[in-house]
C-alpha cells in the first residue's frame, strides 16, 4: 500500500488546510527512476520526502501528522498512547487521504475530534467516514488522479455498528482483505530517547561495521525472563550487560541511534515500507546520513519502493534529492504553521537546493537578519563595557 496524498483541515496548529503529496507531481524520466517508484501508468511516488525549516517551524508536527495518518490507515485505535496528539477539541479535523493498493486507488475521508466521554476523559472519536474506490488503469493521469466526481462511496461509516469502536477506522475491513498492508517504522518519538531498543535481538554485522568497525558483535538474549546484553570488541573479552541502557557507557550516541535506524531501514527496504525519522542528522555525520538516503534512492537497494520520510535542520542534505517535489518547507507564521512543497516555490530543478534555502530566496528559511543584528550589537556592546 502506498500513500499518494494527505490533506487535512481543522488541525489546531495550522493556519490553513495541509496538503502533503507523496506522488511525483513533476515530470518523471522513466529511463532514470532511481529517485521514484512507478505504481502504474505514469504515476510514481518519491522514495524520499524531506521536511526542512528553521527551529520551531513545525517539522516534527508535520511528521507526527504523517504518523497519525499511517496509524489511522493501519486501523490502530486512535486512543492508543503512541498516537500523536494533533487533534483539537474545539471542532473536528477532516482528513482526505488518497492511497494506492492492489491495483486500485482509494480515497478515505475521516472526520475526527477529541471530546469528553461519559467519564469526563478526553478521547479521540471518529465522527464519520467515507471510502471511495476506483481502478488504477491507463485512463488515470496526474490530472484526474484525485478526481472522485460522479462516484459514490463504496463504504460509509455507521456509528450504530456495535462491533466497530469509535476510534478505529472503517479501513480495518480493507486491511483484512489486502495483505501485506501498510508497513511503517516511527522514529519521531525516539528523537530524545537514545537507547538501544530491545526488540532488536541480534545486530547484523554489516550494520555494525558501518557504524563502528571496532565492534565484533552485539546481541540481546532473554535469560530467565530478563534481557541480557552482550557486547564484544575485536581482540577483547565479551562484555555482559545486565541492562540494555548500559550500552550507553560503551557505545557512542551515533552508534546507538545508527543501530536502530539502519536496522529499521533494512526492514523497510525488504518489506517496501515507510521509515519516518525526525532530525535525521542528530548524532550522525553528513556522509552517514547521505548513505542512508542513498539506500532508498537506489533502485538496486530499494526495488520494492520503500519510502524514507525525514526532517532536517541541514539544507545541505537536500542536495541528495534530485526532485523539488520531494522537499517540503515548513514555516511558523503569525497565524499558524504552514507547509509548502518546493516544486510550487521553485520551478527550476538545476538550482542547488541548499543554496536556494540558505539564501532565504524562499522567505522564512533563514534566521531573521534583524535578530542576528541585535545579537551582534549586544555582544559588541558587552565587550566595550
Amino acid at each position: 500500500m502506498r500513500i499518494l496524498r494527505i490533506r487535512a483541515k481543522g488541525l489546531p496548529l495550522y493556519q490553513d488546510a495541509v496538503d502533503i503529496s507523496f506522488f511525483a507531481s513533476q515530470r518523471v524520466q522513466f529511463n532514470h527512476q532511481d529517485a521514484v517508484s512507478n505504481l502504474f501508468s505514469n504515476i510514481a511516488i518519491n522514495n524520499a520526502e524531506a521536511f526542512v525549516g528553521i527551529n520551531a517551524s513545525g517539522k516534527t508536527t508535520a511528521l507526527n501528522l504523517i504518523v497519525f495518518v499511517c496509524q489511522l490507515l493501519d486501523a490502530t485505535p486512535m486512543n492508543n498512547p503512541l498516537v500523536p496528539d494533533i487533534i483539537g477539541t474545539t471542532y473536528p479535523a477532516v482528513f482526505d487521504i488518497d492511497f494506492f493498493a492492489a491495483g486500485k486507488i482509494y480515497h478515505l475521508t475521516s472526520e475526527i475530534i477529541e471530546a469528553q466521554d461519559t467519564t469526563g476523559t478526553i478521547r479521540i472519536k471518529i465522527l464519520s467516514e467515507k471510502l471511495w474506490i476506483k481502478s488504477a488503469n491507463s485512463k488515470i493521469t496526474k490530472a484526474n488522479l484525485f478526481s472522485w466526481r460522479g462516484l459514490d462511496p463504496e463504504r460509509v461509516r455507521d456509528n450504530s455498528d456495535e462491533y466497530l469502536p469509535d476510534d478505529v477506522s472503517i479501513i480495518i475491513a480493507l486491511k483484512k482483505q489486502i495483505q501485506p498492508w501498510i508497513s511503517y517504522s516511527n522514529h519521531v518519538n525516539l528523537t530524545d530517547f537514545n537507547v538501544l531498543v530491545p526488540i532488536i535481538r541480534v545486530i547484523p554485522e554489516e550494520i555494525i561495521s558501518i557504524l563502528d568497525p571496532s565492534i565484533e558483535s552485539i546481541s540481546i538474549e532473554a535469560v530467565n525472563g530478563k534481557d541480557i546484553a552482550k557486547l564484544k570488541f575485536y581482540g577483547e573479552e565479551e562484555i555482559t550487560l545486565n541492562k540494555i541502557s548500559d550500552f550507553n557507557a560503551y557505545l557512542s550516541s551515533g552508534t546507538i541511534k545508527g543501530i536502530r535506524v539502519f536496522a529499521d531501514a533494512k526492514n523497510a527496504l525488504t518489506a517496501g515500507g515507510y521509515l519516518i525519522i525526525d532530525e535525521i542528522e542528530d548524532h550522525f555525520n553528513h556522509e552517514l546520513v547521505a548513505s542512508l538516503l542513498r539506500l532508498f534512492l537506489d533502485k538496486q537497494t530499494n526495488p520494492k519502493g520503500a519510502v524514507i520520510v525525514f526532517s532536517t535542520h541541514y539544507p545541505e542534505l537536500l542536495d541528495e534529492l534530485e526532485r523539488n517535489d520531494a522537499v517540503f518547507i515548513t514555516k511558523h507564521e503569525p497565524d499558524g504553521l504552514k507547509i509548502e512543497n518546493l516544486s510550487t516555490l521553485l520551478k527550476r530543478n538545476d538550482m542547488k537546493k541548499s543554496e536556494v534555502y540558505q539564501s532565504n530566496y524562499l522567505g522564512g528559511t533563514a534566521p531573521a537578519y534583524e535578530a542576528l543584528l541585535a545579537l551582534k550589537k549586544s555582544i559588541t556592546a558587552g565587550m566595550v563595557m
Side-chain angles (χ1 to χ4, degrees):
M1 190 260 263
R2 289 289 176 267
I3 300 173
L4 297 172
R5 188 182 187 185
I6 298 170
R7 286 169 290 173
K9 58 183 179 181
L11 297 177
L13 294 179
Y14 287 93
Q15 58 171 281
D16 298 313
V18 181
D19 192 337
I20 301 174
S21 292
F22 287 81
F23 84 106
S25 58
Q26 294 180 302
R27 183 171 177 267
V28 174
Q29 295 180 351
F30 283 100
N31 59 339
H32 180 63
Q33 296 185 49
D34 275 353
V36 301
S37 291
N38 183 246
L39 297 181
F40 65 94
S41 187
N42 69 336
I43 305 300
I45 58 165
N46 290 312
N47 294 132
E49 300 275 356
F51 290 79
V52 62
I54 61 175
N55 287 338
S57 62
K59 298 184 295 296
T60 302
T61 305
L63 295 191
N64 274 329
L65 167 59
I66 294 170
V67 171
F68 184 94
V69 168
C70 286
Q71 292 171 324
L72 181 70
L73 293 177
D74 200 30
T76 301
M78 302 313 288
N79 287 295
N80 184 308
L82 295 180
V83 173
D85 184 14
I86 66 170
I87 303 296
T89 57
T90 306
Y91 41 81
V94 179
F95 293 84
D96 285 291
I97 307 163
D98 297 278
F99 59 97
F100 170 84
K104 294 182 179 180
I105 308 166
Y106 298 82
H107 177 81
L108 176 69
T109 294
S110 297
E111 185 182 16
I112 307 174
I113 196 170
E114 278 192 343
Q116 283 188 351
D117 62 14
T118 54
T119 67
T121 304
I122 299 295
R123 299 179 71 257
I124 292 177
K125 182 178 182 180
I126 301 175
L127 300 177
S128 65
E129 284 187 301
K130 294 180 180 180
L131 181 68
W132 286 263
I133 307 173
K134 63 183 178 183
S135 177
N137 53 46
S138 59
K139 296 181 180 179
I140 300 297
T141 65
K142 291 180 181 180
N144 63 19
L145 179 60
F146 303 122
S147 174
W148 300 92
R149 185 177 301 173
L151 296 177
D152 295 324
E154 298 278 343
R155 296 178 185 174
V156 178
R157 186 182 191 93
D158 182 359
N159 282 325
S160 65
D161 187 348
E162 59 180 312
Y163 301 106
L164 182 64
D166 62 9
D167 66 339
V168 175
S169 172
I170 59 172
I171 213 75
I172 190 171
L174 198 63
K175 178 183 177 181
K176 292 178 179 178
Q177 295 173 6
I178 303 175
Q179 292 294 333
W181 193 238
I182 188 170
S183 169
Y184 64 93
S185 179
N186 173 22
H187 283 247
V188 179
N189 55 0
L190 295 175
T191 304
D192 300 317
F193 183 70
N194 199 38
V195 298
L196 199 62
V197 180
I199 195 172
I200 307 170
R201 311 306 290 185
V202 179
I203 314 304
E205 181 180 344
E206 59 271 19
I207 292 179
I208 296 175
S209 61
I210 291 174
L211 302 168
D212 188 342
S214 69
I215 300 173
E216 183 175 347
S217 64
I218 301 174
S219 63
I220 300 172
E221 300 176 5
V223 179
N224 297 325
K226 182 181 178 181
D227 284 331
I228 301 297
K230 294 186 177 182
L231 170 65
K232 188 177 187 310
F233 292 92
Y234 282 103
E236 299 181 18
E237 293 293 324
E238 186 176 69
I239 302 169
T240 299
L241 307 173
N242 292 321
K243 295 186 297 183
I244 304 299
S245 58
D246 288 344
F247 272 123
N248 292 58
Y250 295 90
L251 305 178
S252 71
S253 295
T255 298
I256 291 172
K257 176 182 176 178
I259 289 171
R260 294 198 320 257
V261 169
F262 277 88
D264 281 347
K266 183 177 181 180
N267 291 337
L269 292 164
T270 302
Y274 290 82
L275 179 62
I276 308 170
I277 308 177
D278 194 18
E279 297 183 15
I280 194 171
E281 73 279 356
D282 191 26
H283 301 301
F284 284 171
N285 61 46
H286 180 277
E287 187 54 37
L288 193 59
V289 178
S291 298
L292 175 63
L293 295 180
R294 290 166 193 161
L295 290 176
F296 286 83
L297 297 172
D298 189 334
K299 189 66 68 178
Q300 285 190 321
T301 50
N302 188 13
K304 295 187 178 180
V307 180
I308 183 169
V309 183
F310 67 95
S311 72
T312 181
H313 292 95
Y314 294 165
E316 294 84 1
L317 290 177
L318 303 182
D319 296 331
E320 295 291 331
L321 307 180
E322 297 178 2
R323 303 177 58 82
N324 289 347
D325 58 10
V327 178
F328 294 87
I329 310 298
T330 60
K331 297 179 182 180
H332 192 167
E333 298 187 343
D335 50 354
L337 301 179
K338 188 176 184 180
I339 301 175
E340 295 179 288
N341 191 267
L342 184 59
S343 66
T344 65
L345 303 172
L346 184 66
K347 300 302 180 183
R348 293 174 56 183
N349 281 317
D350 59 336
M351 298 178 70
K352 200 171 183 180
K353 295 177 181 61
S354 60
E355 293 178 356
V356 170
Y357 181 91
Q358 290 172 312
S359 69
N360 210 32
Y361 173 83
L362 305 173
T365 60
Y369 174 76
E370 293 80 5
L372 291 173
L373 186 61
L375 177 60
K376 181 178 179 181
K377 287 181 177 180
S378 175
I379 294 172
T380 55
M383 290 179 177
V384 171
M385 293 175 63

